[in-house]
Structure formats: C-alpha cells, structure tokens
Amino acid sequence: MAVSDHDLISAWKEVLTLSKLESGQIVTVLTSSSTHPQTLSTAMTAAALMGATVNRLDLPPVNAEKALSRDSLAYLGTTPLTGNRAAIAALKESDLVLDLMTLLFSPEQHEILATGTKILLAVEPPEVLVRMVPSADDRRRVSQAARLLEGKREMHITSDAGTDLRCPLGEFPVIQEYGFVDQPGRWDHWPSGFVLTWPNERQTNGTLVIDRGDILLPMKCYAQEAIVVTVKNGFVTDIEGGLDAELLSDYMASFKDPEAYAMSHIGWGLQPRAQWSTLAMYDREATIGMDARAYEGNFLFSFGPNNEAGGSRTTACHIDIPLRRCTVALDGTPVVKDGKVLDGFVYGNSQ
Ligand SMILES: O=c1ccc(O)c[nH]1
C-alpha cells in the first residue's frame, strides 16, 4: 500500500529521535539513481524539522557492467564512494549519514564510521519502512539476544530437514541490527531486527539444507526443492540439488572468486513485524528482502565477505539465506527451537 508523506515523515522523526539527532547537527543524505523519491524527500523534511543542517550527496551508480542483478546488496565492495575523496570528506564531517544508496560491506563505510559519524541504511520501499519503524523494544530484544551470543564458543544449527552445522565462535564481534543509530560511530539498517556474528575463520563444518520454501537472497526466490550445501573448514565445498542448486552454483561461480564460498555472518531473526511470506508479494526488484532477513525465528546465514566484522575478505559476491524451522544452540543451549525464538520476550514490557 502507498504511504502518505505525513506518515513517512512521522516514521523518520521516530527513527531520528531514537538515533538521538540533535538540533544544529549535520545530516547528509546519500543518494543515487535507485533512491526512492518519497523516502528522500521525507527524510530531508524530517531532519530539517528537527533542526538539523541537511545536505544531499548524490552519486552516480557503479558496477552495472559487473553485477548480474540491480539489487544493491548483490554486488559489494566498490561503491560510488570508492576513491571519491571529496564525498568521503563530506560524510566524515557529518554527524549522521542517511544511506539511501547502500554502502554496506564497503571499506569506505568503516573509514567514515571511525570518525564517529553514524550511518543509517534505509533502502526498502516506504511502506516496508513504515510497517517496521524501529522501537526501543526492538533494541531491547536484539541487545538481549546479543548478550546471549557474546562470549559463546560454538553455534550449532540443526533442523529436521537435515541441517547440522557447527560454527566455532570467538574471533569476531557480535553485531546488533535494531534499526537506529543511537551511538557515535554506529551503523544500522532500517528495517531490521536481528543479531549476527561471524564464525571463526576456516573452522565451520557440516551441512546446511536449504529446504523447500527457504529464501535465497539476492535471488529473492523461495527454493522449490531442497539444496544441500556442504561446508568444510569454513568454505562451501558442495552445492547439490535440482535447478535451484544449479542457479545458486552458477551465480556464485560467475564471480570467479574463491572467497565467494566462505562462510559469512550467522545469526537469527527477531522482528515480529517481518514476515516470511512478504517476499511472495513483491516484484523481485522492488525490495531487497529485509522481511526475509529479519523474520522472527529464522536462522540467517551468509556466504562471502567478512570485512563488516573486521575480517579481510571483501569479495563482491554476497549471498544471504534465512532458514525456517531450525534449532540454534549456543554452547549446547538452544536460543531458537524449530524456528521459534526462546527468549520469552513480551513487547512493551518496561523491563
Ligand atoms: O542489514 C543487513 C543486510 C544484509 C546483510 O547481509 C546483513 N545485514
């Protein structure tokens, strides 16, 4: 459904308030050719209404000749900021960057965050943004999950479909995505609502079964038949199944990059306002599929880069796959059981 400017401005004001935007601060809205015009106009209006100095930095798109998809999360690494000293300087001088273009997994993003600049990514359609406007409850729940994950030594994921994957932990930080940037130097993504980390480099072993109905991103399709993925010492060694398996294999092989097969982030979904079924209602290019990444109780895993967590892998190939009906256990204690989150969290409790 379409969203009124008024409702989207109100949503932006909620997010900017949760992000502790103060009057007189500098906000730079980062845009490119795929930026949604209503998201842009309402973001600038909301920030100005809150007394910020608002800039817009519009950059030409890149990677068209290399990417096989127009999804902004499909081809990573180089961005319109790469090598653009003047643009990077402007963002480093800003208190808050509203990224309506997608910098995620880019070296430039870390350079800018290191100066204390906050970056909030927001590229989903306006109605998705409004449906999942973040809340303090989202932060409470994601932070609670992060505390469960911190310090653990192994994430063990199993399912009736046949998934049995052991991910030793400890080398990488836990990352919380709750949809707003309330600390200097923080990055987040609106909409979201999940917790993630990276397994220790080259130590993941086991099998991932992408069952019928599980979602493949950036393909933005539901697997029609099971895909069986074998992981040895942190890298995918086998992808078996029918046409879906062939399509996934062909796509990953097209990057001609061994790093594309590396385990990337792992975690679970905590957003009750995100739905597994939403993707079926959208044209493929109308969304980047954040409902799929955030729906409550998924096990979200990823192949490809780990620079987001401080690693050295910056492969352009980035695959995100949320699985249903998994049990996720941390040092033997389940936090998700058969696709149900076990945190007993009740929204609105002022715990
Ligand atoms: O918000 C995001 C989006 C994609 C991803 O791989 C991680 N977090």
Side-chain angles (χ1 to χ4, degrees), residues 73 104-105 177 187 189 194 196 265 290 293 318 320:
L73 282 176
L104 189 56
F105 290 99
E177 291 197 30
W187 169 87
H189 188 172
F194 46 90
L196 51 91
H265 55 79
M290 288 311 290
R293 289 187 180 87
H318 171 235
D320 278 338

Side-chain angles (χ1 to χ4, degrees), residues 45 47 63 89 91 123 146 191 201 231 249 254 305 318:
T45 300
N63 297 330
L91 300 184
V123 293
E201 197 58 1
V231 180
S249 300
S254 74
H318 171 235

Side-chain angles (χ1 to χ4, degrees), residues 198-199 201-202 231 233-236 252 257-265 302-306 313 315 317 319:
W198 271 252
E201 197 58 1
R202 299 181 183 282
V231 180
N233 302 323
F235 280 75
V236 173
M252 292 176 75
D257 181 351
E259 291 189 351
Y261 298 88
M263 281 302 294
S264 185
H265 55 79
S302 176
F303 296 141
N306 67 355
R313 282 202 315 272
T315 177
C317 180
I319 307 283

